[in-house]
Amino acid sequence: METNLEADLKELRQVFNSGKTKESSWRISQLHGLLHMLEDREGDISMALKQDLGKHHVEAYRDEIGTVVKSVNYALKNLKQWMAGKKASLPVAAFPSKAELLPEPLGVVLIISSWNFPIGLSLEPMIGAIAAGNAVVLKPSELASSCSSVLAETIRDYLDNSAVKVIEGGSAIGERLLQHKFDKIFFTGSTKVGRCVMSAAAQHLTPVTLELGGKCPAVVDSFSSSRDSSIAAKRIIWGKFGACAGQACIGIDYILTEKKNASNLVEIFKKYITQCYGDGPKGFHNMSNIINKKHFSRLKNLLDEPGLDLRLFMVVCWMKRACKYIGPTILVDPPLDAAIMTEEIFGPLLPVITLERIEESIEFIRARPKPLALYAFTDNENFQKRLISETSSGSIMFNDVILQYAVDTLPFGGVGESGFGRYHGKYSFENFSHDKVVFIRSFLIDFWFRYPPWDDKKLQLIKAGLRFDYLNVILIALGLKSKA
């Protein structure tokens, strides 16, 4: 395994050094290859997502296949513009000169993907890496083994295998990969593993993008319109339970609302949960399963935590635990020091925390690590402005959830413990590029006062020049003025 890994990485480095991946024709051909792969093998990819996560084929297309197709088309449409250099504005003091910022690929990059959206979170960053002209190693998550296999097979068949390679395996392979020198590492996963990735990258001074998670809150204000309340509740239910059964870093982790609003809100939640998922296991075909027994047990333990008496607070819509499925579960006012409120839930359990005043949500959020996303359902513009100015998060969205992830013109990424670096659309291209400064100076003019030996006159000329006070530069140089 080690010998093959070494050989693969050596080949990738040789191919990149040949300049092959820098050619626009290569980049375009690989992006078209991704499109053909997604179109030709849609059924195989959907089946793999079903096997690993129980995703309905509609959910699989909506959240993974379709969004990647959209992203590839967007990259193809804009690639020529992204690759073009950007002219830089220069001060008059630099005359006669010209400069530009020229994007160049970083080299051989490593993408370590996550299991919850195993296709999308593998291919989205790969689009940017290929568009930027890099050679790529993709390490899919071994937890989504069917998706890992289908990625390895299809990428080998549709892309240039000398420059784009999928390396499968568990944590041991991941650790081996991290021992090698890459020119960029893009990691999606937990904060715990993210720290390990960053530590390993530091040994080679390799730049890292970390897409992590966190507890994303949704602040739910009261609405004057029952219609608005219903739409808000429906969107929340979709954002919590409809995205991989809550196993989404950008999904809602918990609700903050006023105590007077809580009972009505929970009743509306129950209504839409029943509409979307039924009231028993027969609704499971519309909802993803928990990835494996380990995570199933972890979620079960959140509810069975010693000292956490479920009789002390409300639990509603609990479906029978079956195999790896857990139904939508709402908990009202669990203790704030319970694990369910201190750890990222990553599953279909939704705590509802009640406050006396909705404005208290600002301090509640500020007292905790910065989330990847903050959602707020309110038509109060002053409250919206306060949330924007007084909280920090990777993104903030009002009156809907998750949609910001699918917009190619917006960057996606975290802040603080939810990660750093951003991608999607042009931001993916920039993530895997270096803007090289190209500065060209003419021999036409040469300022004599930039060179020693030094005297006071040269000092005055340098001071005037750094202030862009060109009139004084001329007067001093001609001896018509003694001080700048």
Side-chain angles (χ1 to χ4, degrees):
M1 182 68 71
E2 180 66 29
T3 302
N4 292 337
L5 182 59
E6 292 284 355
D8 284 342
L9 296 178
K10 182 178 180 180
E11 182 183 16
L12 287 165
R13 183 65 63 184
Q14 289 174 339
V15 169
F16 176 76
N17 289 340
S18 74
K20 177 182 180 180
T21 65
K22 296 181 181 180
E23 297 295 330
S24 60
S25 58
W26 182 87
R27 306 183 198 197
I28 291 169
S29 70
Q30 299 309 295
L31 292 174
H32 278 298
L34 274 177
L35 271 184
H36 295 318
M37 181 187 92
L38 292 164
E39 292 166 359
D40 296 347
R41 306 298 289 273
E42 179 184 333
D44 294 334
I45 294 170
S46 292
M47 180 58 68
L49 287 166
K50 180 70 174 178
Q51 290 170 345
D52 286 335
L53 289 153
K55 289 190 178 184
H56 192 282
H57 69 272
V58 175
E59 181 181 346
Y61 191 86
R62 180 198 67 188
D63 291 352
E64 306 213 45
I65 302 169
T67 55
V68 175
V69 168
K70 170 188 63 65
S71 297
V72 176
N73 282 320
Y74 186 81
L76 283 167
K77 179 181 178 181
N78 293 282
L79 183 59
K80 183 177 179 180
Q81 178 186 347
W82 295 347
M83 290 179 64
K86 296 171 283 189
K87 290 185 177 180
S89 176
L90 296 176
V92 177
F95 178 83
S97 303
K98 60 181 179 180
E100 67 175 338
L101 299 177
L102 190 64
E104 63 176 12
L106 295 173
V108 180
V109 303
L110 171 62
I111 297 170
I112 303 176
S113 184
S114 184
W115 54 262
N116 52 332
F117 294 88
I119 303 301
L121 294 179
S122 294
L123 299 185
E124 280 284 356
M126 182 182 284
I127 293 167
I130 289 173
N134 298 279
V136 183
V137 175
L138 170 64
K139 163 63 175 72
S141 172
E142 71 280 8
L143 299 185
S145 57
S146 297
C147 289
S148 178
S149 296
V150 80
L151 281 169
E153 177 190 343
T154 55
I155 287 175
R156 181 192 63 223
D157 292 344
Y158 285 83
L159 300 187
D160 178 358
N161 195 234
S162 69
V164 181
K165 295 183 182 294
V166 179
I167 297 180
E168 295 187 273
S171 58
I173 288 295
E175 290 171 3
R176 289 180 184 175
L177 281 167
L178 290 172
Q179 291 172 5
H180 291 269
K181 166 68 176 174
F182 289 93
D183 299 295
K184 180 67 180 275
I185 297 175
F186 189 106
F187 171 78
T188 303
S190 69
T191 301
K192 178 182 178 181
V193 179
R195 289 191 175 98
C196 298
V197 170
M198 194 170 179
S199 177
Q203 304 305 309
H204 301 286
L205 295 180
T206 300
V208 177
T209 293
L210 297 180
E211 294 296 339
L212 308 177
K215 296 180 74 66
C216 300
V219 180
V220 185
D221 202 356
S222 56
F223 290 91
S224 56
S225 162
S226 59
R227 176 182 178 275
D228 291 351
S229 294
S230 294
I231 292 175
K234 186 184 294 187
R235 291 174 178 176
I236 290 168
I237 293 305
W238 171 76
K240 176 60 179 180
F241 305 113
C244 199
Q247 300 168 108
C249 60
I250 200 173
I252 296 170
D253 192 276
Y254 63 93
I255 301 290
L256 295 171
T257 194
E258 289 183 347
K259 190 169 294 184
K260 64 183 180 182
N261 187 41
S263 295
N264 182 57
L265 185 63
V266 168
E267 289 304 312
I268 302 175
F269 284 165
K270 292 168 65 176
K271 172 184 174 183
Y272 288 117
I273 287 173
T274 302
Q275 278 189 14
C276 293
Y277 306 109
D279 57 2
K282 63 183 179 181
F284 282 151
H285 71 281
N286 286 317
M287 190 171 170
S288 300
N289 59 243
I290 307 306
I291 182 65
N292 56 27
K293 291 182 179 179
K294 177 182 177 181
H295 282 272
F296 181 89
S297 297
R298 178 185 60 80
L299 290 166
K300 180 178 179 295
N301 290 339
L302 290 179
L303 293 175
D304 296 341
E305 180 182 2
L308 185 65
D309 190 343
L310 298 187
R311 293 172 299 179
L312 298 179
F313 51 91
M314 187 187 307
V315 180
V316 299
C317 302
W318 174 249
M319 292 183 186
K320 183 179 180 181
R321 304 168 189 176
C323 300
K324 292 190 293 184
Y325 287 94
I326 295 178
T329 304
I330 301 174
L331 304 90
V332 178
D333 281 330
L336 297 183
D337 59 354
I340 200 168
M341 285 306 299
T342 57
E343 301 175 7
E344 185 178 9
I345 296 171
F346 227 64
L349 315 180
L350 180 61
V352 176
I353 305 301
T354 64
L355 309 168
E356 293 299 326
R357 297 172 58 251
I358 198 64
E359 289 79 8
E360 295 173 16
S361 61
I362 294 174
E363 188 55 40
F364 192 99
I365 294 166
R366 288 173 57 140
R368 288 157 177 80
K370 297 176 181 179
L372 180 60
L374 167 58
Y375 303 107
F377 290 81
T378 178
D379 53 13
N380 184 327
E381 292 186 4
N382 288 330
F383 185 44
Q384 289 180 0
K385 291 176 181 177
R386 286 196 63 190
L387 284 167
I388 292 170
S389 64
E390 298 179 33
T391 65
S392 179
S393 55
S395 63
I396 182 169
M397 187 173 194
F398 292 99
N399 301 326
D400 213 329
V401 295
I402 298 179
L403 296 184
Q404 77 274 29
Y405 178 87
V407 180
D408 292 305
T409 54
L410 295 175
F412 177 77
V415 59
E417 293 185 28
S418 59
F420 48 81
R422 54 189 189 172
Y423 72 121
H424 286 193
K426 186 180 181 182
Y427 301 97
S428 292
F429 178 89
E430 292 174 344
N431 195 306
F432 292 100
S433 299
H434 164 62
D435 274 345
K436 179 165 62 179
V437 173
V438 180
F439 194 114
I440 302 174
R441 182 111 168 104
S442 170
F443 289 108
L444 182 62
I445 297 175
D446 196 38
F447 295 110
W448 55 271
F449 54 82
R450 63 187 280 190
Y451 307 108
W454 305 121
D455 56 37
D456 287 343
K457 184 176 182 179
K458 288 184 178 179
L459 176 60
Q460 298 306 319
L461 285 165
I462 290 171
K463 285 183 175 180
L466 291 174
R467 293 199 302 267
F468 307 122
D469 191 353
Y470 304 115
L471 177 59
N472 273 329
V473 170
I474 295 170
L475 292 175
I476 295 169
L478 294 176
L480 300 176
K481 189 170 183 179
S482 61
K483 291 185 177 181

